[in-house]
C-alpha cells in the first residue's frame, strides 16, 4: 500500500477530504455531552463512555459541516480515563470544559435530550444547546437525565429515533446513537 501511494500520490490525495474546523463550520448547531454522571457508573461503563466520546468526535470531525461539539463536566473518572487511554484528546476540535452545564450555558438555551420527555424534537434552533447525557447506565438510572433537566430548569425533548429506526433500548440510549 505504501509503495502504491508513493508511485501515485495524487490518487490517494484525492480520497482524503479536507477537515473543516468547528469554528469554520457552516453548521452552528451546538451539541453538548454532559459528563456529570461518572460517579454513577462502573469503571467498565466509564471505558464505554470514553469510547463513545471518541466515536462522536471522529464522526463530527469527518462531517462536511461539523456540529459545535462541547464536552461539559469532564472530570474525575471520565477525565482520568481520557487522559490515560485516549491519546491526543486535548487536541480535539471540540470545546472541553470541567465546569457544569449550567455554569457554561444559560438554562433558557439548554434543551436536554431524554427519552422520557413528552416533547418531540423536530427542528434545531442554532440559539439552543442540545445536550446528550454522557452516561452508560443499562437502565439502572432510568429517567435520571430527565429529572436533572427538570431540576435545573432546562427545556427537554426527545429525538424521534423510534419514528425512523428500530433499535434495542440499549442501542438507542448511547451517545453515538444520539449523535
Amino acid at each position: 500500500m505504501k509503495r502504491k501511494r508513493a508511485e501515485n500520490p495524487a490518487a490517494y490525495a484525492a480520497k482524503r477530504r479536507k477537515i473543516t474546523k468547528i469554528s469554520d463550520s457552516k453548521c452552528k448547531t451546538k451539541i453538548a455531552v454532559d459528563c456529570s454522571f461518572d460517579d454513577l457508573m462502573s469503571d467498565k461503563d466509564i471505558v464505554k463512555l470514553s469510547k463513545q466520546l471518541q466515536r462522536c468526535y471522529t464522526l463530527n470531525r469527518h462531517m462536511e459541516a461539523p456540529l459545535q461539539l462541547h464536552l461539559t463536566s469532564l472530570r474525575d473518572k471520565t477525565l482520568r480515563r481520557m487522559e490515560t487511554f485516549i491519546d491526543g484528546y486535548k487536541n480535539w476540535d471540540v470545546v472541553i470544559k470541567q465546569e457544569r452545564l449550567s455554569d457554561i450555558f444559560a438554562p433558557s438555551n439548554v434543551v436536554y435530550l431524554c427519552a422520557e420527555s413528552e416533547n418531540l424534537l423536530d427542528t434545531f434552533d442554532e440559539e439552543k444547546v442540545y445536550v446528550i447525557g454522557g452516561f452508560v447506565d443499562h437502565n439502572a438510572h432510568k429517567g435520571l437525565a430527565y429529572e436533572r433537566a427538570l431540576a435545573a430548569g432546562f427545556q427537554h425533548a426527545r429525538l424521534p429515533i423510534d419514528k425512523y429506526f428500530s433499535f434495542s433500548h440499549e442501542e438507542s440510549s448511547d451517545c453515538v446513537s444520539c449523535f
Side-chain angles (χ1 to χ4, degrees):
M1 177 95 123
K2 287 183 182 180
R3 182 183 305 159
K4 287 181 181 180
R5 188 175 303 166
E7 291 170 1
N8 191 0
Y12 286 90
K15 290 181 184 179
R16 191 148 200 214
R17 201 175 51 72
K18 184 181 178 224
I19 301 296
T20 304
K21 292 186 175 221
I22 63 171
S23 59
D24 298 332
S25 178
K26 293 176 190 171
C27 178
K28 299 303 176 193
T29 302
K30 295 178 276 304
I31 302 291
V33 179
D34 178 8
C35 299
S36 67
F37 299 90
D38 75 358
D39 60 320
L40 302 173
M41 291 187 290
S42 68
D43 290 342
K44 181 179 171 183
D45 289 338
I46 294 290
V47 170
K48 289 179 183 179
L49 174 62
S50 65
K51 288 180 180 180
Q52 289 176 13
L53 293 174
Q54 187 173 28
R55 181 72 176 140
C56 288
Y57 164 70
T58 302
L59 289 170
N60 195 52
R61 183 170 185 256
H62 290 94
M63 294 173 110
E64 188 173 316
L67 300 160
Q68 306 298 308
L69 183 59
H70 299 254
L71 304 180
T72 66
S73 300
L74 187 61
R75 53 182 181 254
D76 302 326
K77 292 190 289 186
T78 306
L79 178 61
R80 283 193 300 277
R81 175 72 192 179
M82 299 287 283
E83 288 175 338
T84 306
F85 294 100
I86 310 292
D87 289 337
Y89 88 93
K90 289 181 182 178
N91 299 321
W92 288 0
D93 187 24
V94 300
V95 179
I96 300 174
K97 298 284 187 181
Q98 289 188 358
E99 293 84 10
R100 295 177 314 163
L101 193 61
S102 58
D103 295 334
I104 302 168
F105 302 108
S108 61
N109 289 337
V110 174
V111 179
Y112 219 110
L113 301 175
C114 355
E116 296 78 18
S117 178
E118 63 279 357
N119 306 322
L120 191 62
L121 183 67
D122 54 4
T123 59
F124 288 93
D125 178 349
E126 288 184 351
E127 301 300 316
K128 303 290 184 186
V129 179
Y130 297 92
V131 181
I132 300 168
F135 69 110
V136 177
D137 72 346
H138 305 289
N139 294 320
H141 302 285
K142 189 167 178 59
L144 181 61
Y146 180 67
E147 291 170 16
R148 285 194 180 181
L150 290 175
F154 297 148
Q155 297 170 59
H156 50 82
R158 151 176 82 78
L159 293 172
I161 293 174
D162 55 342
K163 184 176 175 181
Y164 299 103
F165 301 101
S166 178
F167 288 114
S168 72
H169 185 62
E170 182 178 325
E171 289 174 318
S172 66
S173 63
D174 68 18
C175 288
V176 177
S177 295
C178 291
F179 194 78

